[in-house]
Amino acid sequence: MPAPRAIVTRPAREAARWTADLCAHGIDAQALPLIEIRTLREPALRQALEQARRDLTRYRALMFVSPNAVAHFFADSESNPALVHMQQWPAAINTRAWAPGPGTAQALRAVGVADVLIDAPPADSAQFDSEALWPVVAAQLRPGDRVLVVRGSQTPAVPGGQGRQWLGEQLQAAGVQADFVAAYERGAPCLDAAQQALARSAAADGALWLLSSSEAVAHLGAALPGADWSRARALATHGRIAQSARAAGFGTVHECRPALADVVASIKSLHVH
């Protein structure tokens, strides 16, 4: 029996890691990044990011929405004051680092944040998102605290970036001020001829699309307008993403937890059946 095939749609850096991990588990995985990650280009957003890096001690916690948020906030530069503060973070115990899932938590460890300062959902959580993180961190907060949410900005870029507002609403209800800063830009990739050919083939040849973002689903539709997705198969790592895939016309959509072991098990199970 041939190996199961999977199309990994995460941003390039994450897609490379996921593709390698899936291949190591006997899955024929190919990367087709559907979100492009760029450094900030707008001067106003770059200035706001630099200010946030200088003001870390004002915050009770920093919430990083993704590994990319960590990588770009702590970009290796001698002029980055966040790196200096990070190296002294064990002494500044009042500032916590929040991660919505294990990938972001690992990214924080990789830049030197101590485990004891990282808060994330339990490994056995049904999902890895703000809803799973909130019960873990809510008790840390007191009215008047401030939390900085580090995220990306779509094109066209706007101050503070864009993203779901659910966590900000919970913080506001708890009397906590939520500030937002964009650390990077997200955009639609420009698929070359080979990537377009891969996408069109995978729409009908039984490959399983691994979808981890509703934004990626939208970019796929925009890149291949008029494409027929009725025979396409998808594995979505969140219910909201599954809804987006169904709305885009994917014929078969399954859901699973975003942990590697669960993704591998789901891909192999769906291949057998």
Side-chain angles (χ1 to χ4, degrees):
M1 179 182 294
R5 294 184 56 232
I7 307 298
V8 182
T9 61
R10 291 173 178 265
R13 181 186 307 190
E14 298 168 49
R17 186 184 73 250
W18 272 86
T19 299
D21 288 344
L22 292 173
C23 288
H25 285 83
I27 295 168
D28 179 9
Q30 294 176 274
L32 183 62
L34 292 178
I35 297 177
E36 183 179 357
I37 302 297
R38 302 183 290 259
T39 57
L40 293 175
R41 294 173 294 184
E42 293 287 338
L45 270 63
R46 294 173 66 91
Q47 183 177 359
L49 176 60
E50 289 301 323
Q51 187 63 49
R53 288 166 169 166
R54 290 192 292 268
D55 291 344
L56 296 195
T57 55
R58 299 170 59 188
Y59 293 102
R60 183 68 182 86
L62 311 178
M63 193 284 194
F64 297 89
V65 303
S66 67
N68 281 306
V70 175
H72 286 266
F73 190 83
F74 291 114
D76 191 6
S77 167
E78 292 181 0
S79 63
N80 187 342
L83 279 175
V84 176
H85 181 72
M86 174 205 68
Q87 293 163 358
Q88 300 170 348
W89 217 331
I93 197 68
N94 287 331
T95 303
R96 308 287 300 175
W98 294 354
T104 305
Q106 181 55 40
L108 285 165
R109 296 185 193 99
V111 296
V113 178
D115 256 334
V116 69
L117 298 174
I118 300 173
D119 299 302
D124 60 354
S125 293
Q127 284 295 339
F128 298 123
D129 54 18
S130 296
E131 287 91 334
L133 174 65
W134 181 243
V136 177
V137 300
Q140 299 175 6
L141 302 169
R142 298 292 181 269
D145 282 345
R146 299 178 68 178
V147 170
L148 179 66
V149 180
V150 183
R151 58 186 183 177
S153 179
Q154 297 170 347
T155 303
V158 299
Q162 294 121 318
R164 293 183 65 232
Q165 300 299 317
W166 187 88
L167 180 62
E169 293 168 358
Q170 311 314 304
L171 292 169
Q172 183 178 16
V176 175
Q177 179 175 330
D179 295 338
F180 297 87
V181 67
Y184 61 96
E185 292 181 15
R186 299 189 310 270
C190 182
L191 301 185
D192 60 27
Q195 290 173 319
Q196 291 188 34
L198 172 62
R200 293 187 187 280
S201 174
D205 65 5
L208 194 63
W209 289 79
L210 179 56
L211 302 175
S212 55
S213 166
S214 294
E215 188 177 356
V217 177
H219 289 167
L220 179 61
L224 299 175
D228 179 9
W229 299 101
S230 62
R231 291 196 291 162
R233 305 165 66 235
L235 181 63
T237 56
H238 198 284
R240 288 189 297 273
I241 304 168
Q243 291 175 3
S244 297
R246 295 186 183 103
F250 275 75
T252 306
V253 181
H254 301 272
E255 298 179 35
C256 77
R257 295 173 69 248
L260 176 63
D262 295 88
V263 171
V264 169
S266 294
I267 292 174
K268 290 186 175 180
S269 175
L270 292 170
H271 181 63
V272 171
H273 296 93

